[in-house]
Amino acid sequence: MASSPCGGGNFDCGLEIQTRSVEQTLIPLVSQITTLINHKDKLKKTEKTLRAIQRVGQAVSVAVGRFVAVGEAIAVENEDLKDEMGLACFDARRAGTAIAKLTDVSGLEQCEGDGRSTVFSDRTGMVKAARMLLSSVTKVLVLADCIVIKQIISSRNKVLVTLEQLERVSTFQEFVQIFSQFGNEMVEFAHLTGDRQNDLKDEKKRARMAAARAVLEKCTMMLLTASKTCLRHPDCESARINKEAVFQRMRLALEQVIEIVTDTRSGGEAKALPVSIYAGIKDFKVKVEGLRDSMYCVSCEAVAAQLEALVEKTEDFTDSAYTSHEQRETIIQLCQITRQETKQLINTWRHAQLLKAKEATDEMELSILKTCQSVSDLRRELHKVAVGRATELLKLHSDHLVLQALKASGGDGNLEAVADYAGTLTEHKEQLVETCRLLCHISGTEPLEITCIHAEETFRVIGPQIISAAQTLALHPTSKIAKENLDVFCEAWESQLCDMAILLKEINDVFEGRRGDKKTYLSLPRPGKHSANLKTVKAAKLDAEEQTTIAKLGLELCLLTSDVDSEVERWDGQDHEIVRLCQIISSMAYSMYLFTRGEGLLKTTLDLFHQAEVLSDQGLQLCPILHSLSTQLLDEDQMLIISETEKLSTACQQLQVCAKTPVQGKSAIFQKVDSSIQNTKGILSVVVYLLPICNKLIRKCPSECSCLSSPQHWKEKQLSTPVSEETLNGKGSNGFGVKSLEQHMANLTFLESK
């Protein structure tokens, strides 16, 4: 960015737009203005054309008026931006009025007779008005975005203050009071950052935000038990070390969130990701294959040096103590073959340059193919080694024997046994850390690289924390809070192993040409026994037999989520509310599918039922939007949408009743799980049927089904609900009415080139 995103008077309209909503949802307005600018100069002035021109101009004018009304309301509520926002709104209103006048063709012949300008006679005036609208709307939007950023910073600051108070408390009573406040502040912060994460355009920033929020989610419960343990055993050194590590990690995660939203770094320049082997191979192949178009765009020395840098990075694989002799020999051999093929390519390349060849010779073409093939073979082998290692480790640690042994030894007060098992856990940690580093090399996308780095850091930090928690329990074997604290850290380790299994699947998907980019539903804090504000409820896990029985049903659910995602892609990037809600429903359903496999963040049946309840709420939110769409359609289309909406409403209500109905007993709980997934399948079936129909109808009548909201809808968006579950999942407001403004940006710069 050219300046601070929250800068006051020195505003730069050229700042990069960083949110998807800002970039996408003004497409109808852009389309309408572009139509007016690009009309044919000698267009036949039929009555139909005149009516169309006037309708478009009026639609633009009305939309600008609504936009400005919200902008002016925000200016009143935010004194520090009042002058700039007011000026930008004034310019936008003036541009909208100019467009309305130029498209007022009701008395076209009379206008031409008395010399008045219209869209037919003053195209330059229309372009000027459009440019003014571009500039003013962009300024309003970026100023509004500053408010969102300031709100996130303010929320973070409140959390930090309360965090410091928690760190200094000396009594349980004081701790309980402050932690209650801290929990509410963390929930609000989660809502704000969740909305921001979903709206960021940059995949790397979204991945970094997801990693930081995951740390905060897990650390919230760790902070609770670690602090209680320290209060119960104030003279215990291992308890103090355990607690300090949690507080430090939370502060780092909070700082990372602010770095992402402000696009700055506390230490100065942004830290670049280390170049992975995959990225290096990809760039190397681009350079080599680029020689077909130009033999002089890069030097021979540069290509040779890049290959040597790649080969050097493979030492992370060959130097590893866990790489087998056969794997090491294969990697070294493939590196040598790639060197030889690259050397041959450079020889034929230099020969062609001596001959003053304008394009690659046949010999050079063959060398290019062989070089690319050899480096692809190297990548394939590295992928095989890293994925194979990760798969073996996950299988090895699936029984969690070391964690169980640490718990047992700590409960027995056996410090010597704890020390022995701590050494074993440390070795496991080092294996996992190194494996995450290897996975990062072959992950295939930058977001997955970031996730690998997050996993590596998590294992590196949680390992010692488990050991310090076990030492505390061994010193105080009768302490219930010390036992609970160790359980929490062990669960965090198990959860990260589960996340690593999902990460492994996504890496394989990318390698095989399928993007594994399903979004997992996150919430802070999670419901159930890890919620600081909810009464403890007994939560169960499915046993092996139940898991097998439910697996087929889960697979059917997974296939339906894929169908929903396929239909969403057909909307070609339209950021319509229908699409947004359907994506959320699909994402939540996918989390339920992962539960049937024993994976993902839904660990217990309680988690599943909570997810089902929230999913049904999202489906019910979709119903009024569909009803609103039906009122703008003709009889046949209207009846179809109404009929399907009623089916959706019924399915959602059934799921909600099922999720909320209390049951007891193993058989009853399993039946409830089965019913929840069956009802979710019913909802997705209706969604899959509705998506292509709605897409077709909205494309057929875009002006009537514009995503430009009514003033009433915008007003609703301004209502603040800082601690609602819906807000976290992208459903609620952000408290400033800013999101509705952001949703009016899209590709306005597209007009600049017209």
Side-chain angles (χ1 to χ4, degrees):
M1 281 194 173
S3 64
S4 170
C6 296
N10 298 325
F11 179 81
D12 179 6
C13 274
L15 292 178
E16 178 188 0
I17 299 300
Q18 300 205 41
T19 55
R20 290 186 291 182
S21 58
V22 164
E23 192 175 65
Q24 291 297 321
T25 55
L26 248 193
I27 290 175
L29 181 59
V30 173
S31 175
Q32 289 164 342
I33 296 178
T34 306
T35 299
L36 296 176
I37 292 176
N38 292 341
H39 72 83
K40 296 178 181 178
D41 293 333
K42 296 183 179 179
L43 192 65
K44 185 178 179 181
K45 300 167 189 174
T46 65
E47 184 179 349
K48 183 178 180 181
T49 301
L50 296 178
R51 283 203 306 270
I53 290 288
Q54 187 137 9
R55 267 202 313 273
V56 172
Q58 288 173 348
V60 170
S61 181
V62 169
V64 171
R66 292 171 177 168
F67 178 87
V68 168
V70 178
E72 290 172 339
I74 290 176
V76 171
E77 296 171 6
N78 296 273
E79 190 65 32
D80 54 338
L81 297 175
K82 185 174 181 180
D83 292 341
E84 282 186 283
M85 184 72 86
L87 179 60
C89 289
F90 174 79
D91 289 342
R93 193 185 294 278
R94 187 172 58 172
T97 302
I99 289 173
K101 287 181 179 178
L102 287 169
T103 55
D104 183 10
V105 292
S106 55
L108 183 61
E109 299 298 334
Q110 180 183 345
C111 292
E112 290 180 345
D114 60 18
R116 282 167 54 195
S117 296
T118 69
V119 69
F120 289 97
S121 61
D122 190 6
R123 187 175 184 277
T124 302
M126 177 59 70
V127 172
K128 184 178 179 181
R131 287 180 182 275
M132 183 187 295
L133 187 60
L134 271 172
S135 176
S136 55
V137 168
T138 302
K139 188 165 186 176
V140 170
L141 287 166
V142 181
L143 283 170
D145 195 56
C146 286
I147 297 170
V148 176
I149 294 172
K150 285 182 177 180
Q151 191 181 20
I152 293 174
I153 293 173
S154 174
S155 178
R156 187 281 307 258
N157 291 341
K158 286 194 294 183
V159 169
L160 276 179
V161 169
T162 312
L163 199 63
E164 290 178 3
Q165 293 174 349
L166 278 174
E167 201 169 14
R168 294 195 303 266
V169 296
S170 56
T171 67
F172 272 103
Q173 184 178 3
E174 185 183 8
F175 174 79
V176 169
Q177 291 175 345
I178 297 176
F179 190 84
S180 177
Q181 176 187 342
F182 174 77
N184 290 330
E185 290 171 353
M186 281 298 294
V187 169
E188 179 184 2
F189 187 70
H191 295 165
L192 295 170
T193 54
D195 283 343
R196 192 68 179 180
Q197 176 185 324
N198 292 333
D199 204 26
L200 286 169
K201 290 196 305 178
D202 191 307
E203 286 188 339
K204 290 183 290 183
K205 288 182 179 178
R206 285 206 302 274
R208 288 180 63 210
M209 181 74 87
R213 294 179 74 242
V215 169
L216 293 172
E217 177 181 10
K218 292 176 181 176
C219 282
T220 299
M221 187 58 188
M222 294 177 189
L223 183 145
L224 173 63
T225 58
S227 297
K228 286 166 63 179
T229 304
C230 231
L231 286 170
R232 181 63 56 85
H233 310 289
D235 299 326
C236 183
E237 180 68 10
S238 57
R240 183 189 62 78
I241 292 172
N242 184 260
K243 171 188 164 184
E244 287 179 353
V246 176
F247 276 87
Q248 176 64 11
R249 197 160 185 235
M250 287 200 78
R251 287 193 177 93
L252 290 174
L254 289 166
E255 186 62 34
Q256 181 175 343
V257 169
I258 300 306
E259 288 174 5
I260 296 165
V261 298
T262 60
D263 204 28
T264 57
R265 189 169 181 84
S266 56
E269 292 297 319
K271 181 181 178 182
L273 285 175
V275 178
S276 66
I277 292 177
Y278 169 81
I281 287 176
K282 185 178 179 182
D283 189 51
F284 178 77
K285 288 177 70 175
V286 166
K287 282 187 171 63
V288 169
E289 291 173 339
L291 295 175
R292 294 188 177 104
D293 300 319
S294 173
M295 294 188 296
Y296 305 96
C297 60
V298 64
S299 68
C300 302
E301 292 76 12
V303 171
Q306 188 171 6
L307 176 62
E308 288 308 311
L310 272 176
V311 171
E312 185 178 345
K313 288 183 182 297
T314 64
E315 292 175 2
D316 284 348
F317 288 78
T318 56
D319 290 352
S320 170
Y322 308 108
T323 301
S324 70
H325 176 71
E326 292 78 10
Q327 290 173 333
R328 186 176 293 108
E329 289 299 312
T330 302
I331 293 170
I332 292 172
Q333 183 181 7
L334 287 171
C335 287
Q336 190 58 33
I337 291 172
T338 305
R339 276 196 181 106
Q340 291 171 356
E341 297 297 348
T342 304
K343 184 178 180 181
Q344 180 61 30
L345 169 62
I346 290 173
N347 289 336
T348 58
W349 179 8
R350 284 174 171 158
H351 181 66
Q353 286 179 328
L354 288 173
L355 297 176
K356 306 295 184 183
K358 294 183 179 180
E359 57 184 24
T361 62
D362 291 343
E363 283 185 346
M364 195 172 161
E365 176 64 31
L366 182 61
S367 292
I368 289 173
L369 291 172
K370 286 185 175 181
T371 302
C372 289
Q373 182 60 49
S374 63
V375 81
S376 294
D377 291 342
L378 175 61
R379 181 205 166 193
R380 189 174 295 107
E381 179 63 24
L382 296 175
H383 177 90
K384 177 183 173 183
V385 171
V387 169
R389 167 92 63 81
T391 304
E392 288 175 8
L393 280 178
L394 288 171
K395 189 179 296 183
L396 177 66
H397 299 317
S398 61
D399 51 13
H400 308 299
L401 290 178
V402 177
L403 299 182
Q404 293 171 14
L406 276 170
K407 291 178 185 179
S409 302
D412 292 339
N414 190 337
L415 277 169
E416 186 177 344
V418 166
D420 289 341
Y421 288 119
T424 305
L425 183 67
T426 299
E427 184 181 346
H428 289 179
K429 178 204 71 176
E430 292 302 327
Q431 290 176 349
L432 288 164
V433 164
E434 184 176 283
T435 301
C436 289
R437 195 178 302 127
L438 299 187
L439 287 174
C440 182
H441 271 307
I442 55 92
S443 58
T445 69
E446 286 185 315
L448 287 179
E449 285 179 22
I450 290 168
T451 307
C452 290
I453 293 170
H454 165 67
E456 177 186 341
E457 181 62 22
T458 300
F459 284 123
R460 191 191 306 278
V461 172
I462 291 183
Q465 288 179 312
I466 291 174
I467 293 170
S468 61
Q471 290 168 344
T472 302
L473 179 59
L475 291 169
H476 308 277
T478 60
S479 173
K480 291 183 179 179
I481 182 57
K483 181 180 182 301
E484 181 188 355
N485 187 47
L486 177 57
D487 287 341
V488 166
F489 282 95
C490 288
E491 285 177 12
W493 177 278
E494 293 170 9
S495 173
Q496 189 57 50
L497 284 173
C498 186
D499 292 345
M500 186 175 175
I502 298 172
L503 173 62
L504 191 61
K505 179 182 179 300
E506 292 177 339
I507 289 172
N508 271 324
D509 285 344
V510 171
F511 183 76
E512 294 168 9
R514 306 187 306 270
R515 279 300 299 270
D517 54 2
K518 274 281 185 184
K519 297 180 179 66
T520 304
Y521 169 70
L522 290 175
S523 60
L524 283 176
R526 277 181 56 206
K529 74 178 204 174
H530 286 193
S531 174
N533 301 317
L534 296 177
K535 186 181 266 188
T536 301
V537 180
K538 187 174 181 181
K541 293 185 178 182
L542 299 182
D543 60 27
E545 183 181 349
E546 290 171 334
Q547 203 91 50
T548 303
T549 305
I550 210 73
K552 180 176 180 294
L553 196 60
L555 182 58
E556 294 170 357
L557 186 63
C558 178
L559 293 174
L560 279 170
T561 65
S562 297
D563 291 341
V564 172
D565 295 343
S566 297
E567 291 299 336
V568 165
E569 288 177 4
R570 298 177 191 273
W571 285 65
D572 296 331
Q574 292 186 60
D575 198 12
H576 199 284
E577 189 71 2
I578 291 174
V579 173
R580 189 181 69 82
L581 286 171
C582 289
Q583 286 175 320
I584 293 173
I585 290 170
S586 175
S587 178
M588 290 183 177
Y590 189 78
S591 292
M592 295 173 72
Y593 153 68
L594 290 177
F595 173 85
T596 67
R597 295 181 53 181
E599 301 174 357
L601 291 179
L602 307 181
K603 305 298 182 187
T604 68
T605 52
L606 186 65
D607 294 342
L608 180 77
F609 300 147
H610 172 76
Q611 182 84 311
E613 188 178 338
V614 177
L615 186 148
S616 66
D617 287 339
Q618 294 282 7
L620 290 172
Q621 278 203 17
L622 182 58
C623 291
I625 296 172
L626 294 170
H627 271 299
S628 177
L629 172 64
S630 69
T631 61
Q632 303 168 31
L633 303 173
L634 299 177
D635 294 344
E636 188 176 339
D637 292 334
Q638 185 181 60
M639 292 306 297
L640 177 61
I641 295 296
I642 290 174
S643 172
E644 293 302 317
T645 302
E646 288 175 354
K647 291 181 185 177
L648 177 63
S649 177
T650 301
C652 291
Q653 288 168 3
Q654 288 174 345
L655 178 59
Q656 202 163 61
V657 170
C658 175
K660 289 182 177 180
T661 302
V663 295
Q664 289 187 352
K666 185 177 179 182
S667 176
I669 290 174
F670 179 72
Q671 184 59 46
K672 183 175 176 179
V673 170
D674 182 88
S675 299
S676 296
I677 295 175
Q678 290 281 14
N679 287 327
T680 303
K681 279 177 55 187
I683 291 172
L684 260 66
S685 297
V686 178
V687 168
V688 169
Y689 181 73
L690 275 171
L691 272 169
I693 296 173
C694 293
N695 189 14
K696 179 182 176 183
L697 293 174
I698 289 173
R699 288 179 186 277
K700 189 164 69 173
C701 49
S703 59
E704 288 81 358
C705 304
S706 169
C707 64
L708 296 176
S709 307
S710 65
Q712 176 65 26
H713 178 66
W714 284 7
K715 188 65 179 176
E716 289 169 1
K717 284 284 188 179
Q718 293 184 70
L719 298 177
S720 176
T721 53
V723 295
S724 66
E725 185 69 25
E726 289 82 357
T727 308
L728 177 60
N729 294 301
K731 298 194 291 186
S733 74
N734 48 37
F736 284 94
V738 171
K739 177 155 288 190
S740 57
L741 287 179
E742 287 182 333
Q743 290 175 344
H744 286 76
M745 181 55 207
N747 297 321
L748 283 178
T749 50
F750 174 68
L751 285 174
E752 297 270 16
S753 62
K754 293 296 180 181

